Amino acid sequence: MSGFTIVAIFITAAALASYVNYRFIKLPSTIGLMVIGLTMSLGVIALSKLGVATDDLAVRFLGRIDFGETLMKGMLSFLLFAGALKVNLNDLARRKLAITSLATGGVIATTFIVGTSLYYILRLFETGLPYAYCLVFGALIAPTDPVAVMAILKSANVPKSLETKIAGESLFNDGVGVVVFTVMVGIATTSGGESSSIGHILSLFAKEAVGGVIFGAGIGWFAYLLLRNVDDYTVEVLLTLGLVSGGYALASALHTSGPIAIVVAGLLIGNYGRRLAMSEVTRDHLDKFWELVDEILNAVLFVWIGMEMLVLAFNSSYLLTGLIAIPLTLFARFASVWSIIGILKRFKRKFSDNATLILTWGGLRGGISIALALSLSAGEARDLIVSITYVVVVFSILVQGLTIKRLVKS
């Protein structure tokens, strides 16, 4: 099956799912599309139970595509740039301490709370998962997903200050989460040494996270200089496409954080490039183009997440562990957010009364967590981690995503 055929099938499925959701289901777009993807998967499973051999064909089709590779090294860069374009840099700067604390300390704290709690709970059920792999799960489930978060925030009517904190955190903490995940995988798959030394960890963090910020600022500024010398919206839109695709690929080659680099570049173009280097006509075309890219890729991604259920190694034990991991993840998120807000309040930082609850419930997990889980080496630990990650992500998007608006209004 050719690459074009695969793309055509996914876009067609996303288009039909969008139509069905818009006409009949009427859920928020991302949630509705994932519900339809899950329904399609359950339908295929039901038909296979009735003797109709549809599951093998669907599994073979999905097995041809690497979800993790496609998301992390393809779709994610465009989705992050589209999201960053819409964020006001001044609002972000005013809340930089809260966002930085949540995106770094929050991810690290959640990793250890989830990993440690899961390790001891699994021992009660006599399910064997080494502590290092429990921390791997904690690391991949700790970051909130910017794609899911930004999509849900569109319709949740969250107060502006909280919306900026949630959006800003989600845009940056996936890069931090990938660094923490990489370190934990290194510890889990080796007997120690350089991969687990404090010096190596700090060096990796500096190269990935800090390097990503510097590199993103550099390519964003270079693109801004090019945009200032052009007054043609087709050329300017192409320049932003080149910035995203070429910048992300180069960041990966330099072993800096591609997600962080693209977010920083997107913030620069969205705040300075749009205002100082573009005409009104170009701004209009640029906004519409990236909004369309965002909507199309979101549609494909969330249908795909729903369909991924077909290729997971589910059993009753894995499902039970996934259900246990849901409250563990929420508790860890609550504890880390509550602690950080408590510390920041001592430094005269203001938060609304329900900030902890909204930040906890609005911290959605999504495709990035699944992609990281699928990147693990094959084995029993991978099967368990992928399955419980999928359960947590589905709960997060369906339950948290559908109820965050009600929580905000309460």
Side-chain angles (χ1 to χ4, degrees):
M1 187 178 296
S2 68
F4 176 79
T5 302
I6 292 172
V7 172
I9 290 172
F10 269 114
I11 290 179
T12 302
L16 293 174
S18 296
Y19 176 83
V20 171
N21 181 60
Y22 180 82
R23 285 294 308 274
F24 306 109
I25 303 177
K26 301 185 185 302
L27 287 172
S29 178
T30 52
I31 298 173
L33 292 172
M34 198 179 81
V35 167
I36 292 171
L38 286 169
T39 303
M40 291 166 61
S41 297
L42 292 172
V44 169
I45 294 171
L47 287 174
S48 68
K49 297 295 184 183
L50 295 174
V52 181
T54 55
D55 55 338
D56 288 341
L57 180 63
V59 169
R60 283 201 304 272
F61 167 69
L62 291 172
R64 290 175 179 269
I65 319 151
D66 188 327
F67 180 91
E69 185 83 5
T70 304
L71 176 59
M72 297 301 294
K73 295 187 178 179
M75 299 168 69
L76 182 61
S77 59
F78 298 95
L79 289 165
L80 287 175
F81 186 81
L85 279 177
K86 305 169 189 174
V87 177
N88 187 292
L89 194 56
N90 292 327
D91 291 341
L92 208 63
R94 282 195 292 270
R95 298 165 180 87
K96 59 182 179 295
L97 185 57
I99 291 169
T100 303
S101 300
L102 290 167
T104 54
V107 167
I108 295 170
T110 301
T111 296
F112 282 94
I113 294 172
V114 170
T116 304
S117 302
L118 184 65
Y119 174 72
Y120 285 107
I121 288 175
L122 289 179
R123 290 184 66 182
L124 296 176
F125 289 91
E126 298 183 352
T127 302
L129 191 63
Y131 180 57
Y133 275 102
C134 290
L135 290 178
V136 167
F137 171 73
L140 66 87
I141 210 67
T144 57
D145 189 298
V147 181
V149 169
M150 299 292 279
I152 297 300
L153 284 180
K154 291 178 183 178
S155 59
N157 296 320
V158 176
K160 184 63 179 178
S161 61
L162 269 180
E163 180 182 347
T164 302
K165 292 185 182 78
I166 296 172
E169 178 202 1
S170 68
L171 285 170
F172 284 103
N173 71 3
D174 61 307
V176 176
V178 170
V179 176
V180 177
F181 172 80
T182 303
V183 170
M184 293 306 171
V185 170
I187 294 172
T189 55
T190 63
S191 57
E194 182 188 4
S195 64
S196 57
S197 70
I198 297 296
H200 178 74
I201 292 171
L202 292 176
S203 173
L204 178 62
F205 182 85
K207 187 175 183 180
E208 289 277 345
V210 180
V213 171
I214 295 171
F215 181 74
I219 60 175
W221 183 254
F222 178 69
Y224 165 73
L225 294 177
L226 295 179
L227 291 168
R228 283 181 59 185
N229 294 310
V230 179
D231 187 16
D232 184 305
Y233 70 84
T234 56
V235 176
E236 292 176 84
V237 170
L238 277 172
L239 283 172
T240 60
L241 272 174
L243 168 65
V244 175
S245 54
Y248 196 91
L250 185 55
S252 298
L254 295 173
H255 301 289
T256 62
S257 174
I260 291 178
I262 292 303
V263 167
V264 172
L267 290 171
L268 285 173
I269 298 302
N271 286 269
Y272 296 107
R274 289 178 73 259
R275 180 165 53 90
L276 302 175
M278 297 179 188
S279 66
E280 187 62 39
V281 172
T282 297
R283 281 195 291 271
D284 182 57
H285 280 87
L286 183 82
D287 291 344
K288 288 179 179 176
F289 173 80
W290 281 105
E291 183 176 353
L292 189 59
V293 168
D294 189 33
E295 293 293 339
I296 292 172
L297 292 182
N298 263 305
V300 172
L301 175 61
F302 283 93
V303 169
W304 193 354
I305 290 175
M307 294 171 64
E308 276 292 302
M309 184 173 67
L310 288 170
V311 295
L312 300 184
F314 267 118
N315 59 45
S316 57
S317 174
Y318 289 180
L319 180 59
L320 176 61
T321 307
L323 294 175
I324 292 170
I326 291 171
L328 279 185
T329 304
L330 287 172
F331 169 75
R333 170 73 176 173
F334 177 85
S336 61
V337 169
W338 178 79
S339 300
I340 289 170
I341 287 180
I343 293 171
L344 292 177
K345 282 183 176 180
R346 292 180 178 270
F347 291 92
K348 310 298 183 183
R349 294 301 192 274
K350 294 182 179 179
F351 291 85
S352 58
D353 293 337
N354 58 351
T356 301
L357 286 177
I358 294 176
L359 283 165
T360 299
W361 202 247
L364 306 182
R365 275 69 182 188
I368 290 174
S369 294
I370 295 175
L372 292 176
L374 290 171
S375 72
L376 295 170
S377 300
E380 187 176 344
R382 178 186 185 271
D383 291 342
L384 174 58
I385 289 173
V386 169
S387 297
I388 59 180
T389 300
Y390 193 81
V391 172
V392 172
V393 168
V394 169
F395 174 88
S396 180
I397 294 173
L398 294 188
V399 179
Q400 292 174 238
L402 281 174
T403 55
I404 184 65
K405 189 173 183 179
R406 189 177 305 170
L407 177 63
V408 170
K409 290 181 177 180
S410 64

